Amino acid sequence: MTETEEAVERFLRKTDTAYDEYEEGYADADATLRRLEQHIEDLREATDDA
């Protein structure tokens, strides 16, 4: 698996977790959006380096 593929897999796992926590009521919308924004930034950084 390439570094980009690993970064995408990590992003998808973290995004799914954030969304699931929101759906289950463990996080509010603002907190979930902040987490998603961070995951997007992490993915950008990982794929820029690859």
Side-chain angles (χ1 to χ4, degrees), residues 7-26:
V8 170
E9 286 294 321
R10 196 169 41 252
F11 168 78
L12 293 173
R13 265 194 323 275
K14 289 180 175 181
T15 300
D16 285 342
T17 299
Y19 185 72
D20 289 344
E21 289 174 2
Y22 171 75
E23 285 291 303
E24 301 224 359
Y26 297 126

Side-chain angles (χ1 to χ4, degrees):
M1 185 178 279
T2 68
E3 288 181 37
T4 299
E5 290 171 329
E6 289 176 12
V8 170
E9 286 294 321
R10 196 169 41 252
F11 168 78
L12 293 173
R13 265 194 323 275
K14 289 180 175 181
T15 300
D16 285 342
T17 299
Y19 185 72
D20 289 344
E21 289 174 2
Y22 171 75
E23 285 291 303
E24 301 224 359
Y26 297 126
D28 67 16
D30 290 334
T32 302
L33 286 174
R34 283 191 299 275
R35 285 182 64 192
L36 293 176
E37 287 170 348
Q38 184 59 56
H39 298 327
I40 290 166
E41 184 61 31
D42 292 344
L43 179 61
R44 282 190 179 122
E45 288 175 9
T47 57
D48 284 347
D49 294 341

